[in-house]
Amino acid sequence: MLICEACGKEYDLDKNIHVCSCGEPLRMEYFDGEIGEEDDIWARYGSFLPLEVDDLSNLGEGNTPLSKAPSLSKKLDIDLRLKNETMNPTWSFKDRGTILSLERAKELGKKKLGTVSTGNMAASVSAYGVRSGLKIFVLVPSDISDKKISQIENYGPIVIKVDGDYGDLYYESFELADRDTYFTNSNSPFRIEGYKTIAFEIYEENVPHYVIIPTSSGGLFRGVMKGFKELEKSGHIDEIPVPISVQAEGCSPIYEAHESDEREIERWSEPDTIADAISNPFPPGGNDVLEKLDRYDGMCEKVSNQEMVEAQKQIAREGIFCQLASAVGVAALKKLIERGKIEKGAEVVSIITGSGLKGSLSGQNDRSTYNCAIESLEACVNRAFE
Ligand SMILES: *Cc1c(COP(=O)(O)O)cnc(C)c1O
Ligand SMILES: [Zn+2]
């Protein structure tokens, strides 16, 4: 059964649709489950999931570290941990949702699997999809970075670079779905089911007061919160952590709507941010994120390019090289603490959504990088340590 997040309309699961007739995203029912003992996350959380994962599809997604961040914790006077999603097989959390979408496509007997992506989801769908034998095609923006496109192309899908509005492309893509084709997009119900496992893993270590979620289309936010909701429903936790959604200043339709107490987002006219993984101008899950922020007393914040570059370096100094889109969490945290919105000693988890190897701006011209000739190596090293 699929249920509309906004109007409550119900649809038969076999209809294979992702969006309600009212335009809002659909979700599966809230599951009630037990957490098992298995290492494999799909087995361990199986009673919360709508289908079984074939061992052959598994590339080792999930079970990512929840690392302490000693220097940031000390500096900010809180207990900060970083959920390191860069450790997934294609270096972003997207893998958790991709594998369930793939299993669903196979269950329905589809021959082709497609997605719309600024890069990370395309890489993930390509990696999992091509090896499964389905025909994979990905629609990416024409200005996608070289690093991202080279990863995608190596997996061997059909790549279609689209010139045009990325927000519209999401809805256009549904028109392409036919008898043979399954589409998995940022807010597809089965994808959201996969993202829940981030909440389950955090729960198994310990549930924080706050969870910080970089937000573009809203799928990650919706998945993580559905996970916590199900943990509450099945009696594993009494309290759901306070969610903090973070956007880039140059593309922050959810933030703006939240600030002005609107129930609906407005399309962002021209995204202008270096964090391309969070640049969806018309997030399909945006209204639902607003509703959940309201329901769980959440906060929404936006950060500038400079703030995210700075945060990216600080996270790297905790040993994790992340994307700019992932660094927005720590950047927002600093602002919220300064404004007294988060109390001293609070336990906070920030989700580090994807790897910095996929593209970054900082690091260049760093003050701790030196050039020297091999003949003067010793002098050079001595100078560096002065
Ligand atoms: C996809 C993505 C996000 C945003 O997730 P949404 O589900 O679109 O809100 C954030 N960071 C990275 C690295 C991503 O790939
Ligand atoms: Zn609806």
Side-chain angles (χ1 to χ4, degrees), residues 92-94 120 195 214-220 277-278 323 325-326 353-354:
S92 88
F93 71 89
K94 297 287 195 304
N120 287 339
Y195 296 166
T215 308
S216 182
S217 66
L220 176 63
I278 51 169
Q323 278 182 34
S326 315
T353 49

Side-chain angles (χ1 to χ4, degrees), residues 104-146:
R104 179 60 179 164
K106 291 197 306 195
E107 195 173 75
L108 293 171
K110 302 284 180 179
K111 308 245 169 5
K112 297 184 219 151
L113 175 63
T115 193
V116 174
S117 167
T118 56
N120 287 339
M121 194 154 56
S124 180
V125 168
S126 303
Y128 282 80
V130 171
R131 71 197 285 276
S132 77
L134 296 186
K135 275 223 172 356
I136 305 302
F137 68 103
V138 299
L139 310 175
V140 299
S142 49
D143 59 355
I144 185 169
S145 81
D146 285 352

Side-chain angles (χ1 to χ4, degrees), residues 284-330:
N287 296 340
D288 189 48
V289 171
L290 288 174
E291 195 272 322
K292 301 261 166 358
L293 285 172
D294 200 36
R295 188 188 310 175
Y296 300 119
D297 281 327
M299 294 182 253
C300 195
E301 188 53 274
K302 63 173 178 181
V303 303
S304 68
N305 285 346
Q306 201 195 330
E307 286 165 332
M308 58 180 97
V309 166
E310 182 59 30
Q312 185 187 44
K313 286 188 186 175
Q314 284 174 323
I315 295 166
R317 280 148 178 73
E318 305 283 1
I320 300 171
F321 181 37
C322 70
Q323 278 182 34
L324 290 159
S326 315
V328 297
V330 165

Side-chain angles (χ1 to χ4, degrees), residues 205-226:
E205 299 210 33
N206 101 39
V207 180
H209 303 123
Y210 301 92
V211 58
I212 309 183
I213 309 170
T215 308
S216 182
S217 66
L220 176 63
F221 186 99
R222 296 182 54 232
V224 170
M225 295 318 289
K226 187 168 191 278

Side-chain angles (χ1 to χ4, degrees), residues 91-103:
W91 305 290
S92 88
F93 71 89
K94 297 287 195 304
D95 295 341
R96 297 178 187 262
T98 298
I99 189 167
L100 288 199
S101 302
L102 172 70
E103 292 303 303

Side-chain angles (χ1 to χ4, degrees), residues 218-236:
L220 176 63
F221 186 99
R222 296 182 54 232
V224 170
M225 295 318 289
K226 187 168 191 278
F228 282 117
K229 168 82 190 167
E230 293 180 358
L231 288 169
E232 185 199 41
K233 179 171 189 266
S234 44
H236 295 286

Side-chain angles (χ1 to χ4, degrees), residues 4-9 11 20-24 26:
C4 174
E5 295 272 23
C7 72
K9 189 168 168 183
Y11 296 84
C20 180
S21 54
C22 78
E24 290 298 307
L26 300 171

